[in-house]
Amino acid sequence: MRALKQFETIETIYEEEHSFSSPSPSSSSSPPSSLHPIVNAWSLHYTSEPNVLILVQGTCFRLHQDRMISQSSYLKQRLMGVSNVTISPPLNITAETFATVADFCYTHKIHLTPSNIAAIKVAAELLGMTEGENLCEVTESYFERVIGVDASLVIRSCVTMLPEAETTASLVSRCIEAMIWNGDVSFLDDVIEMPSQDFQMVASYLNKRLPNHDALYKIIDFYLKEIKCDKLREEQQIDICNNLDCSKLSHHILVECIQNPRMSLKFIMGAILMEHLKTRDSLVAATTTITHKTERTSLRQILQQDTTPYHTTNIEEVMDSTYYRIQSLEKELIDMKNHLQHHHDFMNGNKNNNVLNQERSMSFHFEPPEDSKIQRGGRGSISSSSFMLDNRITKKHNKLEMFVANKTSLEITRFFPYKFINSLKNAFGCRIQRQTKRSKNLSEKSSIGNSMNILWHECPIQKLDREHLLQQKGCVIWLTGLSGSGKSTLACFLSRSLHSRGKLTYILDGDNMRHGLNRDLSFRAEDRSENIRRIGEVAKLLADAGLICIASLISPYRKDRDACRALLPNGNFIEVFIDVPLEVCEARDPKGLYKLARAGKIKGFTGIDDPYEPPSSCEIVLQQQGSECTSLGDMTKIVISYLDKNGYLRA
Ligand SMILES: Nc1ncnc2c1ncn2[C@@H]1O[C@H](COP(=O)(O)OS(=O)(=O)O)[C@@H](OP(=O)(O)O)[C@H]1O
Ligand SMILES: Nc1ncnc2c1ncn2[C@@H]1O[C@H](COP(=O)(O)OP(=O)(O)O)[C@@H](O)[C@H]1O
């Protein structure tokens, strides 16, 4: 193919065709003038007039049919037996782009840039330019090269060409993929501009392209967070989340997903199952000696296998507990025998007449109670099915019987020492699980921190019992944010509102705690960590007491907050980020501290010369609405409705 530069005489044979079909002549405009000389030169050289009209978004192009159909399968099909064709939306090609493409059809030269590549590539794909010199290939090879060096520019032009940019050649997802490889996250600015249906499409392409979905999770989470999930319909949110494949997420991201309130419930369920299967696989891998395991395992088999270790653990616990109960029974029986022996000897003064050494007296028979003082019954009593204490022990002709028969129940309790009764209560009265725990703890003396040989003491009244009493679930609402963001104020609002619903709360305010428990701590990083750790520990106790504990402190470092979260059972730590910009907090400056910090009179002030690390994923984010602060009433409602929905306000 000869370049048209070589033509010496060029006449203008190109002309606008105002009468060409729709739209009306008034809406037509001229194609770029650079195309005129090229078409003219071609006409002169081959002595053939332009013989087709192509109308592109209001602009008429008079061109040579053979030039166009030799390169474009779309035009070849459309121009069959006709001499005019209209290219209009939804075919997303502008007149300017078409002129460049037409130019290429004549000259096989094209000037590609990061800003025009998307439009030209899309046009080439839509027009099926895979014939002849092949604009599809030319643009493809340029695109591949340019995204390696300038993907941030390219993606901008690609996003404006959505959805075609994605449907024709996956341009946006390929840019994102390239940028992920280069560690460049500036594409997030472009992502946020996408309408949800475009984002959904790009995410679905990324789903297929990316071998690991950690980055895709971050992109989806960012999108859901920034556009605020509540602006999406539930199905849209589900569709977006469905682009994540749990099996392609690494462990820590999977765990993060499960706890992420922005993820759809369906996705979280899938993630939990995947986490469970992964854990199971690791366990199986660690324990099994089978090396050739090629056959597929059915879900039924998996579940059956899973229940086996569970049952084994249960059986072990019950056996532990039974063993402990037998041991303590034996011990108490020996004690009881010794005490009876002792009293018997004492009363009779006859050490040789030892009834308890006779075979018969080894078994105790307690008569059915007439007015029993301690009976089988509720928690705290001797709850064995076989022990009933009466004020008479029947052992005819035995002096012991007479002695006992004359005693009041109080004396009987003296006679059977408290320790014995308490031990019997322990041996019989406590629930198996609790007993098991205690039996373990008894044998496991630990060293914690600087303390040696310390035991954990279990009490039969536990968190669930207290929660039942209070009709609420013990938890920690952890308010974090800059100084002046409104933590203390919101804590009071929450406490008051919950109080009026009959719920028991307690506030741990950073400022207040520094007046007492934490008075020895400064604002250096390590002291802040210690401050947060201590408050976390106290909060944990309050939650265990069944209270709704509201901790309100800057807690600027993510790892410290995460450490507090880890202290509590899952779901008991509700992190609330009061996301108020520094400028707003600084303008409020209720204590004048920002002013002092700016003047350098306070060093290491959060937000000024000490960092604040916002939560990367927390249960609730309370953000400004545009330039307006969310009202305290609304913030309170958001938190309380979270508590309500998640069952914290009932036992
Ligand atoms: N250097 C520095 N940085 C931040 N804050 C400072 C500082 N010095 C004093 N204050 C005042 O102390 C309050 C913060 O205490 P906290 O215990 O919440 O802080 S932290 O969680 O240990 O970071 C904080 O109170 P709030 O305004 O309630 O947050 C400040 O008033
Ligand atoms: N949602 C809100 N809108 C407007 N002002 C608020 C809001 N929340 C708190 N404030 C005001 O901001 C200032 C700082 O609030 P405070 O609760 O002391 O913050 P923190 O405990 O985070 O330092 C107070 O004067 C308070 O009245």
Side-chain angles (χ1 to χ4, degrees):
M1 170 75 206
R2 282 169 292 171
L4 290 177
K5 264 189 270 167
Q6 61 189 290
F7 302 133
E8 281 160 14
T9 342
I10 298 173
E11 273 180 28
T12 305
I13 54 151
Y14 181 90
E15 60 189 40
E16 274 180 55
E17 184 57 71
H18 290 296
S19 57
F20 181 61
S21 67
S22 63
S24 63
S26 59
S27 69
S28 297
S29 60
S30 305
S33 54
S34 57
L35 192 58
H36 290 217
I38 292 165
V39 177
N40 288 345
W42 188 272
S43 303
L44 274 180
H45 188 74
Y46 291 99
T47 52
S48 75
E49 292 293 305
N51 51 356
V52 286
L53 284 172
I54 301 177
L55 181 67
V56 184
Q57 297 196 3
T59 300
C60 293
F61 292 83
R62 270 177 74 82
L63 302 168
H64 294 87
Q65 186 186 39
D66 63 336
R67 278 301 74 222
M68 303 314 291
I69 66 171
S70 67
Q71 322 247 329
S72 156
S73 56
Y74 173 85
L75 291 175
K76 190 175 182 178
Q77 200 186 1
R78 297 289 307 276
L79 287 169
M80 208 175 308
V82 293
S83 61
N84 59 49
V85 67
T86 301
I87 295 174
S88 55
L91 228 52
N92 190 0
I93 303 173
T94 62
E96 191 189 350
T97 304
F98 186 79
T100 315
V101 168
D103 189 330
F104 177 84
C105 291
Y106 283 88
T107 63
H108 290 148
K109 289 201 169 67
I110 194 149
H111 179 59
L112 295 172
T113 68
S115 322
N116 73 7
I117 176 66
I120 294 173
K121 172 83 182 146
V122 166
E125 296 290 338
L126 291 175
L127 294 172
M129 298 187 67
T130 51
E131 317 270 327
E133 294 287 320
N134 201 339
L135 187 56
C136 282
E137 241 172 42
V138 172
T139 47
E140 178 62 26
S141 96
Y142 177 81
F143 180 79
E144 275 177 5
R145 270 182 292 122
V146 77
I147 55 168
V149 288
D150 220 348
S152 56
L153 255 185
V154 181
I155 194 174
R156 215 142 296 152
S157 62
C158 293
V159 167
T160 60
M161 295 298 299
L162 279 168
E164 288 83 355
E166 200 57 33
T167 50
T168 55
S170 311
L171 299 185
V172 178
S173 55
R174 286 161 72 192
C175 284
I176 292 179
E177 190 183 0
M179 291 170 86
I180 291 172
W181 276 103
N182 291 336
D184 176 358
V185 291
S186 60
F187 62 82
L188 291 173
D189 295 337
D190 302 290
V191 161
I192 214 65
E193 299 301 323
M194 294 179 199
S196 63
Q197 64 275 23
D198 285 349
F199 178 75
Q200 155 63 17
M201 181 174 45
V202 171
S204 78
Y205 278 83
L206 284 170
N207 163 291
K208 290 178 204 100
R209 301 194 66 81
L210 299 172
N212 173 293
H213 281 190
D214 287 1
L216 180 56
Y217 162 73
K218 292 284 177 197
I219 297 170
I220 288 181
D221 185 41
F222 177 81
Y223 186 79
L224 293 176
K225 185 174 169 195
E226 288 301 313
I227 63 150
K228 318 227 175 36
C229 319
D230 51 351
K231 288 197 189 134
L232 290 178
R233 278 182 287 111
E234 201 181 339
E235 316 83 77
Q236 287 175 311
Q237 191 190 356
I238 292 174
D239 285 348
I240 289 176
C241 292
N242 279 349
N243 293 305
L244 286 170
D245 180 342
C246 297
S247 65
K248 293 184 180 170
L249 292 171
S250 51
H251 176 74
H252 70 285
I253 294 286
L254 196 61
V255 172
E256 190 179 321
C257 282
I258 291 170
Q259 297 172 9
N260 187 342
R262 286 183 286 278
M263 294 292 113
S264 69
L265 193 60
K266 183 173 167 229
F267 174 75
I268 290 176
M269 292 305 293
I272 290 173
L273 186 62
M274 181 52 64
E275 172 63 5
H276 174 71
L277 289 177
K278 278 188 177 169
T279 312
R280 178 196 152 276
D281 282 350
S282 331
L283 281 174
V284 170
T287 53
T288 190
T289 50
I290 300 166
T291 46
H292 303 294
K293 207 168 174 244
T294 46
E295 39 349 318
R296 286 176 70 92
T297 318
S298 71
L299 185 61
R300 185 192 164 85
Q301 283 169 318
I302 290 172
L303 293 175
Q304 271 173 352
Q305 283 170 20
D306 277 353
T307 55
T308 314
Y310 171 77
H311 287 312
T312 315
T313 319
N314 254 3
I315 291 167
E316 277 171 6
E317 281 193 0
V318 172
M319 280 175 69
D320 272 359
S321 149
T322 313
Y323 176 70
Y324 174 73
R325 288 171 64 192
I326 292 170
Q327 262 193 334
S328 50
L329 247 178
E330 273 175 1
K331 187 171 175 299
E332 296 313 330
L333 283 172
I334 291 165
D335 277 357
M336 189 165 73
K337 180 182 157 190
N338 289 341
H339 278 287
L340 286 173
Q341 174 77 62
H342 175 78
H343 280 271
H344 176 75
D345 292 349
F346 176 78
M347 294 300 294
N348 288 312
N350 178 9
K351 290 193 174 23
N352 296 325
N353 187 14
N354 186 349
V355 289
L356 293 171
N357 282 339
Q358 294 168 17
E359 208 180 313
R360 251 176 355 120
S361 58
M362 287 300 285
S363 84
F364 288 84
H365 171 68
F366 299 103
E367 265 197 353
E370 276 160 14
D371 58 339
S372 61
K373 297 295 181 271
I374 306 172
Q375 294 200 8
R376 180 185 174 201
R379 194 184 289 164
S381 69
I382 297 176
S383 58
S384 156
S385 55
S386 59
F387 281 67
M388 293 284 203
L389 294 189
D390 190 20
N391 58 0
R392 281 190 311 134
I393 297 178
T394 53
K395 201 159 189 348
K396 284 187 183 152
H397 314 300
N398 191 325
K399 289 183 181 168
L400 176 64
E401 177 200 30
M402 290 175 59
F403 165 75
V404 175
N406 289 333
K407 299 288 166 188
T408 63
S409 61
L410 185 67
E411 285 167 320
I412 291 175
T413 12
R414 275 197 204 122
F415 181 65
F416 293 97
Y418 286 116
K419 187 171 169 282
F420 166 57
I421 291 178
N422 281 340
S423 305
L424 275 184
K425 283 183 184 178
N426 265 345
F428 289 101
C430 297
R431 293 177 200 162
I432 287 177
Q433 268 184 353
R434 292 173 184 180
Q435 199 58 63
T436 309
K437 213 167 178 183
R438 185 160 189 266
S439 63
K440 277 187 182 155
N441 289 332
L442 274 175
S443 57
E444 286 171 12
K445 289 186 182 168
S446 350
S447 301
I448 309 276
N450 293 329
S451 312
M452 305 279 283
N453 299 322
I454 46 174
L455 295 184
W456 183 266
H457 288 277
E458 199 71 37
C459 169
I461 299 298
Q462 299 208 332
K463 187 177 184 222
L464 274 177
D465 304 299
R466 295 184 283 271
E467 289 182 335
H468 191 69
L469 194 74
L470 295 168
Q471 282 301 300
Q472 63 187 45
K473 288 208 176 72
C475 61
V476 177
I477 304 174
W478 191 276
L479 305 180
T480 171
L482 291 169
S483 173
S485 57
K487 301 179 296 296
S488 310
T489 317
L490 178 61
C492 288
F493 267 67
L494 278 172
S495 182
R496 203 169 51 197
S497 174
L498 287 167
H499 186 82
S500 69
R501 286 169 165 239
K503 304 296 163 198
L504 187 57
T505 62
Y506 194 79
I507 297 177
L508 299 177
D509 189 277
D511 262 335
N512 296 357
M513 298 298 280
R514 283 174 177 277
H515 280 78
L517 179 67
N518 295 340
R519 68 189 323 155
D520 55 325
L521 301 176
S522 73
F523 284 92
R524 282 183 318 202
E526 58 272 30
D527 277 6
R528 287 190 201 247
S529 293
E530 176 60 10
N531 176 38
I532 292 155
R533 188 191 72 78
R534 288 185 199 171
I535 296 181
E537 288 283 359
V538 176
K540 171 188 165 182
L541 294 179
L542 292 180
D544 190 54
L547 272 72
I548 298 174
C549 169
I550 306 167
S552 120
L553 59 162
I554 300 179
S555 41
Y557 312 134
R558 211 171 282 137
K559 71 169 176 29
D560 295 336
R561 295 191 300 264
D562 289 347
C564 292
R565 178 187 287 276
L567 287 175
L568 284 132
N570 264 351
N572 280 16
F573 187 87
I574 303 155
E575 193 173 354
V576 181
F577 174 33
I578 311 190
D579 186 8
V580 177
L582 177 66
E583 317 79 79
V584 177
C585 298
E586 203 169 346
R588 288 181 186 164
D589 203 6
K591 302 169 194 159
L593 297 179
Y594 280 104
K595 209 165 162 206
L596 293 174
R598 286 284 183 204
K601 291 184 182 152
I602 300 179
K603 297 279 179 231
F605 197 83
T606 307
I608 305 296
D609 52 353
D610 208 63
Y612 177 82
E613 298 166 2
S616 44
S617 107
C618 62
E619 280 70 13
I620 303 175
V621 181
L622 299 171
Q623 252 174 345
Q624 296 215 126
Q625 303 296 313
S627 58
E628 288 289 299
C629 283
T630 312
S631 77
L632 280 153
D634 285 348
M635 294 207 275
T636 309
K637 265 191 218 146
I638 293 171
V639 178
I640 291 193
S641 94
Y642 179 91
L643 295 178
D644 211 359
K645 268 194 207 141
N646 291 284
Y648 293 95
L649 303 184
R650 49 186 185 273

